[in-house]
Amino acid sequence: MVEWLAGNRIRGTSTERTTTTVSTPPTISTDGNYTVLKYTEDGVFIPKGSFNVEYLVIAGGGGGAGHYSGGGGAGGFRTNVSGATSGGGGSAESTYSATAQNYTITIGAGGDGKTIETDIADNGGNSSIVPTSGTSIISIGGGGSAGNTVGSSGGSGGAGRVNQVAGAGTTNQGYAGGVGAGAANYGSGGGGGAGAVGTNGTTSSGSAGGVGVSSSITGTATFYAGGGGGGQ
């Protein structure tokens, strides 16, 4: 298995595998018969032969806007682990067969935040597995949140403020953000998560981001890709 956090993960059951990277090597561990490769920086995965892999690919989350803005959306969540669920309520994706070629691993960074409430924060970066030839797996970066305008769409959507529309999520990757309450000093919405829509703001508080989705791809059940909380 190869794994990315805020980015990428893959998992394979064959002993005929090797990796190389352009920067920091992946963390390698075992889970029963699985070898787990966890990438925290961009790299290259190079199998020695052909075998199926399981992956979890998570994009970078969206940034936060100015004071009391909505929460940033979580990065897109994609997986093909048997019995698991992709973000946005999707089912696990189909079997992925790796062959003896280069698979470029890209880790999406979190989006930059903003200090002025009229600005929209940046979306997170996409994360991906891109083979020299064949099918790519791309998770979309989370939507940036908004101060006085509409939140951005992304893997999960960035939240809005003051009744502004939140950004949408991407099908089978994440959910939309929440909406802010009806006045400038009320609470803003939470960013969308891989497992749920961000909560709408209230007159008394900013709201929670949407929950992430649990995965046991490393051998330990962990929640990933939760949305950011809204400001007050």
Side-chain angles (χ1 to χ4, degrees), residues 79 84-93 171-175 194:
T79 189
T85 300
S86 289
S91 59
E93 298 174 18
T171 301
N172 295 336
Q173 294 196 26
Y175 286 92

Side-chain angles (χ1 to χ4, degrees), residues 9-11 51-57 77-86 90-98 129 134-137 172 217:
R9 297 188 327 189
I10 304 177
R11 162 157 143 176
F51 50 87
N52 292 336
V53 297
E54 293 180 340
Y55 59 78
L56 171 60
V57 182
F77 180 108
R78 295 188 61 179
T79 189
N80 72 338
V81 176
S82 177
T85 300
S86 289
S91 59
E93 298 174 18
S94 59
T95 299
Y96 193 81
S97 178
I129 308 169
T135 302
S136 297
I137 306 298
N172 295 336
I217 193 169

Side-chain angles (χ1 to χ4, degrees), residues 91-130:
S91 59
E93 298 174 18
S94 59
T95 299
Y96 193 81
S97 178
T99 59
Q101 61 174 321
N102 287 11
Y103 291 79
T104 300
I105 307 299
T106 299
I107 311 298
D112 287 340
K114 304 295 181 180
T115 59
I116 301 173
E117 66 184 58
T118 54
D119 289 341
I120 300 175
D122 292 341
N123 282 19
N126 294 349
S127 295
S128 60
I129 308 169
V130 179

Side-chain angles (χ1 to χ4, degrees), residues 22-215:
V22 295
S23 52
T24 302
T27 301
I28 301 174
S29 61
T30 58
D31 173 27
N33 293 326
Y34 288 90
T35 297
V36 181
L37 283 76
K38 178 179 176 180
Y39 283 86
T40 57
E41 296 186 23
D42 295 350
V44 180
F45 172 56
I46 307 177
K48 291 180 179 178
S50 299
F51 50 87
N52 292 336
V53 297
E54 293 180 340
Y55 59 78
L56 171 60
V57 182
I58 304 172
H67 62 297
Y68 45 83
S69 70
F77 180 108
R78 295 188 61 179
T79 189
N80 72 338
V81 176
S82 177
T85 300
S86 289
S91 59
E93 298 174 18
S94 59
T95 299
Y96 193 81
S97 178
T99 59
Q101 61 174 321
N102 287 11
Y103 291 79
T104 300
I105 307 299
T106 299
I107 311 298
D112 287 340
K114 304 295 181 180
T115 59
I116 301 173
E117 66 184 58
T118 54
D119 289 341
I120 300 175
D122 292 341
N123 282 19
N126 294 349
S127 295
S128 60
I129 308 169
V130 179
T132 302
S133 176
T135 302
S136 297
I137 306 298
I138 301 173
S139 288
I140 305 300
S145 69
N148 289 335
T149 186
V150 177
S152 295
S153 298
S156 289
R161 172 174 167 253
V162 194
N163 281 334
Q164 294 288 352
V165 176
T170 298
T171 301
N172 295 336
Q173 294 196 26
Y175 286 92
V179 177
N185 60 339
Y186 290 169
S188 297
V197 174
T199 306
N200 292 340
T202 72
T203 58
S204 60
S205 67
S207 294
V211 68
V213 172
S214 180
S215 174

